Amino acid sequence: MSSWEDFFELPAEGKNIAMLDDMREVISVGLITNGTSVNTTDRDDIQAAQDYIIKQKNNISAFTYDSIPMVQSGDIVAAQWYVGAMLYVFDNPNELAYIIPEEGATMYQENMCILKSAPNKDNAKKFLEFFTQPEIAALNTSQQTNGTMNTKAIELLPESLRNNPSINPPEDVKNKLQLFKELGQGIRLYDRAWTRIRTS
């Protein structure tokens, strides 16, 4: 399996699949397969993505965040999930795999910030300075088995993480990954599409 198309063909082989119970993540699959931005607020784009997912819906066994144990038990063969799944892949590499679909996917970043009203800003800044040191960032990445944008930390990662294309994908794959943006009032279009998907 290497694509969203392959993923949605699995039920025809008698294999169960699951998707996230997440409005934007699910709709993004329709947008990506249609070659559209996951941040579009164009009604026609969102309608097309909605229709794409509805077309697949009868073959989707569940919309859930709890698909990991379902995959581990064999109840489903594949699920839409986050790169954090690599924790389980490393524990059982002969049975599990993590794939970035060739059409593209979403990606995320985790942020830490200091609130304007924070009572201990100096200590908070010291913590951020500590956490972004390459050695510490590499330790965090190794523990989480996900990626990091800290280029100096990447150099310090064990080879199994540093050269893993699921964790540190090559540039041609990165170029197909999209970050969600705040959509303002445009989110209402997604809300409507999600309601139609879930009630169809």
Side-chain angles (χ1 to χ4, degrees), residues 7-143:
F7 176 73
F8 288 118
E9 286 179 354
L10 290 169
E13 303 170 14
K15 299 173 181 176
N16 296 327
I17 61 172
M19 296 190 78
L20 290 166
D21 188 11
D22 184 292
M23 176 181 74
R24 291 199 66 189
E25 289 286 1
V26 170
I27 294 172
S28 76
V29 174
L31 293 168
I32 288 167
T33 55
N34 290 331
T36 308
S37 167
V38 299
N39 298 301
T40 183
T41 54
D42 182 277
R43 289 177 187 273
D44 291 340
D45 290 343
I46 296 167
Q47 172 82 46
Q50 166 199 297
D51 293 346
Y52 179 85
I53 297 300
I54 288 173
K55 182 181 175 184
Q56 313 297 335
K57 189 178 174 189
N58 286 340
N59 294 324
I60 300 168
S61 296
F63 289 93
T64 179
Y65 290 104
D66 297 320
S67 55
I68 293 294
M70 297 166 72
V71 172
Q72 290 172 319
S73 68
D75 290 333
I76 59 174
V77 72
Q80 177 192 27
W81 222 64
Y82 308 104
V83 70
M86 288 301 297
L87 279 168
Y88 306 97
V89 173
F90 282 129
D91 283 344
N92 194 357
N94 295 324
E95 298 290 330
L96 301 175
Y98 181 83
I99 297 164
I100 300 174
E102 59 190 23
E103 301 95 334
T106 59
M107 66 177 178
Y108 71 95
Q109 62 186 30
E110 294 180 345
N111 300 315
M112 290 187 289
C113 61
I114 302 171
L115 297 177
K116 189 174 182 180
S117 59
N120 297 303
K121 289 183 184 176
D122 288 341
N123 282 342
K125 288 177 182 176
K126 288 176 183 176
F127 173 75
L128 291 181
E129 289 168 359
F130 166 79
F131 203 81
T132 54
Q133 292 177 48
E135 297 82 1
I136 304 304
L139 284 172
N140 179 61
T141 299
S142 296
Q143 189 268 331

Side-chain angles (χ1 to χ4, degrees), residues 137-189:
L139 284 172
N140 179 61
T141 299
S142 296
Q143 189 268 331
Q144 297 293 325
T145 65
N146 58 16
T148 178
M149 297 306 290
N150 188 323
T151 54
K152 291 185 178 178
I154 291 173
E155 296 171 8
L156 301 174
L157 292 174
E159 186 178 350
S160 60
L161 296 180
R162 187 176 63 250
N163 297 326
N164 189 303
S166 295
I167 294 171
N168 288 302
E171 284 303 313
D172 62 322
V173 175
K174 283 183 186 176
N175 291 336
K176 294 180 182 179
L177 302 179
Q178 300 185 48
L179 278 171
F180 289 129
K181 295 179 182 176
E182 173 62 43
L183 300 177
Q185 293 300 313
I187 198 66
R188 293 181 179 180
L189 297 171

